[in-house]
Amino acid sequence: MSGQERPERVEDWEPVRSRLLTIADRLEQGGEEEPARMSTVLDLADELSKDTTPYVLAGLVVLLPNTYPGETCGEYAARLREAVTD
């Protein structure tokens, strides 16, 4: 891969950030009170990064927090949004 495909500026992480927020939205659409499952989160990350460079999926995997036992999708989505917003 060329150096141009690697994220080197803060702006290059915007695709990762926007996809993290989309994951939060999708989890809530599936049911805020449903149990949060890491497998579902990772499936969404994979789906949302198919049209991008591998660095976007790598960034998602690195930044995704683990789900807690008993955590709902709504709770996880809120934690995810908090982690990526100013």
Side-chain angles (χ1 to χ4, degrees):
M1 291 193 170
S2 72
Q4 288 183 331
E5 292 175 348
R6 281 180 57 200
E8 294 182 5
R9 299 180 314 259
V10 172
E11 302 86 40
D12 293 332
W13 289 103
E14 182 57 29
V16 174
R17 182 184 168 282
S18 67
R19 281 166 178 79
L20 289 169
L21 293 172
T22 301
I23 289 170
D25 292 342
R26 293 261 190 102
L27 287 170
E28 287 180 336
Q29 289 171 0
E32 285 189 36
E33 296 304 317
E34 293 295 317
R37 291 188 170 77
M38 199 64 202
S39 61
T40 303
V41 173
L42 292 172
D43 286 345
L44 286 169
D46 184 50
E47 175 188 330
L48 293 170
S49 65
K50 287 197 183 298
D51 64 339
T52 63
T53 67
Y55 291 102
V56 173
L57 179 58
L60 290 171
V61 171
V62 167
L63 294 174
L64 285 168
N66 286 328
T67 56
Y68 295 138
E71 185 173 37
T72 66
C73 286
E75 292 166 338
Y76 183 84
R79 270 196 316 126
L80 193 54
R81 282 193 188 91
E82 184 179 329
V84 298
T85 55
D86 295 332

